[in-house]
Amino acid sequence: MIESPVMDAAAIDARISCVVLFDFDGVLIHGDAFGLFMRDRYKHSLMRKLLVLPTLPWLLFGLMVSWRWPVRTLVHISLLGISEQRYAAAAKSFAAQLVRRPRLFSRDGLLALRRHQAAGDRVIVVTGCEHTLVTGILEELGLTQLEVLASQLRPSWLGMRVKLHNVGKRKPQILASHGLQAWRRAYTDSSQDIPMLKPAAEAVLVNGTPKLCMKIEKALGRSVTRVEWF
């Protein structure tokens, strides 16, 4: 397939810049780190479970429109009355617990990331996971010298609330705000990251099905690299 001149220019710029992007959930960890954190908070609090009951009609209605509304509601209930300091302590404590779970993290993904670091690449973790939690996990894994662009919470009188959810189109927007328009390689496991894959000289799909691969290649208009990571 013949690439457009715009794509050629982006690819050349990306190869020179040596910028490599990694999604986190599904790429470096098997699962959703923030989702595991939320489930843990509900598991250990009867009060939080009871607070969800009055919202069930809203949650069920919201699911018919978008999963994002119900999820955000559950996050806000879980963080009700939590200060920024208490949230940071809870997130870091959970990060320490999480890295001790067997077979939760991708051995091959972490090895690939470390290889890029050793090669002198500028490695950036671009994720929908919340910033304090994901940085805590990476630090517990001994991964330093990393740039992390993640979702953010904000303090309020009700507790911590979602400030920015770094998914889909937001990822290249945030990267652009950091002066990045193209990159050499981007690793993901999700079609939600198509906007992040488009400016990449090489798009890498992690543990993707043939159907997902075809969907992403159709959206990009070019082939992707598939890897199986354990």
Side-chain angles (χ1 to χ4, degrees):
M1 179 177 293
I2 299 175
E3 297 178 348
S4 69
V6 174
M7 189 60 221
D8 289 338
I12 292 170
D13 178 67
R15 293 189 186 100
I16 293 173
S17 66
C18 291
V19 174
V20 177
L21 311 181
F22 280 83
D23 185 20
F24 184 70
D25 295 320
V27 174
L28 299 178
I29 183 174
H30 300 303
D32 179 338
F34 193 74
L36 291 172
F37 180 45
M38 288 294 102
R39 282 193 285 273
D40 185 75
R41 289 186 63 78
Y42 277 106
K43 178 181 177 181
H44 293 97
S45 174
L46 176 61
M47 180 59 70
R48 293 189 190 102
K49 294 173 184 174
L50 292 175
L51 287 172
V52 170
L53 292 178
T55 70
L56 286 178
W58 156 253
L59 296 177
L60 293 173
F61 172 76
L63 283 173
M64 294 187 292
V65 180
S66 170
W67 60 266
R68 289 185 173 86
W69 295 355
V71 167
R72 183 168 293 205
T73 299
L74 290 172
V75 169
H76 287 171
I77 292 173
S78 172
L79 301 177
L80 189 66
I82 301 297
S83 67
E84 191 170 11
Q85 293 74 21
R86 285 178 60 195
Y87 171 77
K92 290 177 181 178
S93 175
F94 185 73
Q97 298 173 36
L98 209 59
V99 297
R100 288 163 178 77
R101 295 189 185 181
R103 296 181 294 279
L104 181 60
F105 293 88
S106 171
R107 174 197 61 197
D108 298 321
L110 295 174
L111 181 59
L113 188 150
R114 289 189 172 99
R115 283 174 175 166
H116 280 295
Q117 283 187 308
D121 291 329
R122 181 181 176 184
V123 179
I124 308 175
V125 175
V126 190
T127 176
C129 186
E130 190 278 325
H131 190 273
T132 302
L133 179 60
V134 69
T135 53
I137 293 170
L138 293 170
E139 288 172 2
E140 289 288 339
L141 290 170
L143 290 168
T144 58
Q145 308 300 318
L146 278 176
E147 295 176 66
V148 179
L149 300 178
S151 295
Q152 299 175 20
L153 300 175
R154 60 175 177 81
S156 77
W157 66 276
L158 286 172
M160 299 299 289
R161 292 293 178 265
V162 175
K163 177 182 179 181
L164 180 148
H165 194 196
N166 189 31
V167 296
K169 294 180 180 179
R170 285 192 182 272
K171 289 190 177 183
Q173 290 171 358
I174 291 177
L175 286 158
S177 72
H178 285 71
L180 296 169
Q181 300 291 338
W183 27 91
R184 177 161 57 91
R185 186 175 297 170
Y187 295 89
T188 186
D189 72 317
S190 172
S191 60
Q192 287 192 71
D193 280 332
I194 287 172
M196 183 178 79
L197 297 177
K198 285 183 177 180
E202 181 182 5
V204 183
L205 179 61
V206 178
N207 297 340
T209 63
K211 183 178 179 180
L212 177 59
C213 184
M214 289 177 62
K215 178 180 179 180
I216 292 177
E217 288 184 335
K218 182 178 180 180
L220 298 181
R222 55 192 170 95
S223 63
V224 302
T225 300
R226 288 178 64 189
V227 296
E228 297 293 329
W229 283 355
F230 301 96

